[in-house]
Amino acid sequence: MFRANLTTQKRLAASVLKCGERKVWLDPNEVTEIAQANSRQNIRKLIKSGLVFKKPQAAASRFRAREHTAAKRLGRHGGHGRRKGTAEARMPTSVLWMRRMRVLRSLLRKYREQGKIDRHMYHELYLKSKGNVFKNKRVLMEYIHKAKTEQARVKLLNDQAEAQRQRNKAARERRNQRVAAKREAIISGDQDNRCASIGTDLPHPNLDYAALDEDHEREQFMAAMQEKIAEPGFSQDAPRLGRLLRENDTASPARQAPVYSFNVVTGQMPQMPQMPSSLTQSLLARLASYFDVSHLSSVDTTTPLIVTQVFDPTMNKFTHFQ
C-alpha cells in the first residue's frame, strides 16, 4: 500500500498556523488531496475546509480531581492520617455559630414578614435562638408550630370562659330582678300589716324591711306572738324588755350601740315610752319586730321569750344584760 509523504504539507501548515509541527493535525481520510497541496495558499484552503487544523493546548486533566472532591463530600479521605491541624483550626466553632444564627434569624424574619408569627413571638424566639435553644432550623419550625397550636387552644378556652361569664352575669341580673320584684311585693304587703299592728300610718325608720324572708316567716312569728301574748303570765316580761331597751338607748354616746341579730339600718334603738298595761299586746308586738327569732319552732315559742345577750361590735363579743 502506497503511503504519501506529508512532511512538506505539515511544515507549511505549521508556518501558516504559527505553531509547531506536532500541533498540526492532518485528516487521514483525505491524504491524497492534502498531498497535492504544495503551497501556503493551498494549505490555507485546506485549513478553511477543515482538513487541517491546530491541535488544542494540552493541560492537566481535572477528571481525577473532580472524582476525589466528590468522594470527600461523602466523607471519604478524611481520616486521622489525612488531618493536619486541630479541630478548632480546621472548622472554628465561631464559624459554625454564625452560620446557624444566620439560618435561624433568616427563618424568623421570613415568618414575621409572611404573618405566620407576630412581633412578640418573633422577639421571644429571637432571644431563644441567641440562647442556644434551637440547634437547627427543623427544631425551630417544630417549636413554632407547637407554640401557635397552644396559643389557639388558650384563646379558645378564654373565649369559652368569657362567654360563660357573660351568661352567668345575665342570669344573675335576671335573678336579681326577680328577687327585687318579689321583695318589693312582700315589703309593700308587710308594711301595711305592720303599721296596723303598731298603730301608726308610717313604718319604723330604723328597720330594714327589705331583709324580710320570702317565705313569710316573719308573719308566721307575729301570729305565734299574738297567740303567746294571749296566754296568762306572759305579759310580766314586758316591763323587763322595756327596761333593757331604755338602758341600751341611754348608753354613753362615745360607745356604739350594740347591734342585735335583727336588721337595724343605723343608729341606736328608739326610746321606748311607758305604756299602760292595756297596750301590752301592742308593746310586745313592737318588741318582737326588733328581734329575728324566726328560726325558733312553734315548740320553742311555747315559753316566754326573754333576751339576755346582745352582740357588741366595739368589744367583738356578746354581752349580758344586768
Side-chain angles (χ1 to χ4, degrees), residues 6 11 37 42 63 65 106 116 129 163 185 256 263 286 290:
L6 302 178
R11 178 180 60 82
N42 295 333
F63 174 75
S106 64
K116 294 183 178 180
S129 300
Q256 182 181 357
N263 297 314
R286 185 169 183 176
Y290 287 109

Side-chain angles (χ1 to χ4, degrees), residues 47 83 109 116 142 147 163 224 309:
I47 293 173
R83 300 176 191 174
R109 284 194 300 270
K116 294 183 178 180
E142 292 177 356
Q309 294 183 2

Side-chain angles (χ1 to χ4, degrees), residues 13-185:
S15 177
V16 173
L17 296 173
K18 296 182 173 47
C19 63
E21 293 182 6
R22 69 186 187 91
K23 289 289 186 180
V24 177
W25 181 83
L26 303 176
D27 191 354
N29 299 325
E30 302 294 339
V31 176
T32 304
E33 185 177 358
I34 294 174
Q36 295 176 0
N38 55 5
S39 64
R40 286 180 173 82
Q41 185 177 1
N42 295 333
I43 294 297
R44 291 189 182 94
K45 292 180 181 180
L46 295 176
I47 293 173
K48 188 175 182 180
S49 61
L51 301 180
V52 178
F53 62 84
K54 180 182 177 180
K55 293 180 181 180
Q57 183 70 29
S61 176
R62 292 289 303 169
F63 174 75
R64 291 181 299 274
R66 285 192 292 269
E67 281 193 339
H68 187 268
T69 304
K72 290 190 69 172
R73 289 197 186 99
L74 297 177
R76 313 296 190 267
H77 313 294
H80 292 285
R82 290 282 185 173
R83 300 176 191 174
K84 290 186 178 180
T86 63
E88 182 68 21
R90 291 164 59 85
M91 178 53 67
T93 55
S94 60
V95 175
L96 296 176
W97 173 265
M98 287 187 293
R99 291 178 181 177
R100 181 150 58 100
M101 288 298 103
R102 287 168 183 170
V103 170
L104 297 179
R105 291 173 181 178
S106 64
L107 178 66
L108 292 177
R109 284 194 300 270
K110 183 176 71 173
Y111 276 14
R112 184 182 61 179
E113 294 173 356
Q114 293 177 355
K116 294 183 178 180
I117 59 176
D118 55 2
R119 60 188 182 90
H120 303 288
M121 183 177 291
Y122 170 84
H123 183 66
E124 178 184 356
L125 298 179
Y126 188 95
L127 296 180
K128 286 184 178 294
S129 300
K130 184 179 180 181
N132 198 23
V133 176
F134 313 112
K135 67 177 183 178
N136 52 42
K137 187 168 67 174
R138 177 183 58 82
V139 177
L140 176 58
M141 294 174 64
E142 292 177 356
Y143 185 91
I144 292 175
H145 294 327
K146 290 181 181 179
K148 292 178 66 176
T149 303
E150 181 65 19
Q151 284 185 353
R153 188 184 69 86
V154 172
K155 184 177 183 301
L156 178 61
L157 294 177
N158 292 338
D159 294 342
Q160 293 176 354
E162 181 62 25
Q164 184 64 31
R165 283 193 292 269
Q166 295 297 332
R167 289 194 294 269
N168 295 341
K169 182 178 179 181
R172 285 195 302 270
E173 292 178 354
R174 291 193 299 270
R175 180 179 179 277
N176 293 335
Q177 292 176 0
R178 292 196 302 270
V179 171
K182 185 183 296 185
R183 183 173 297 172
E184 290 177 1

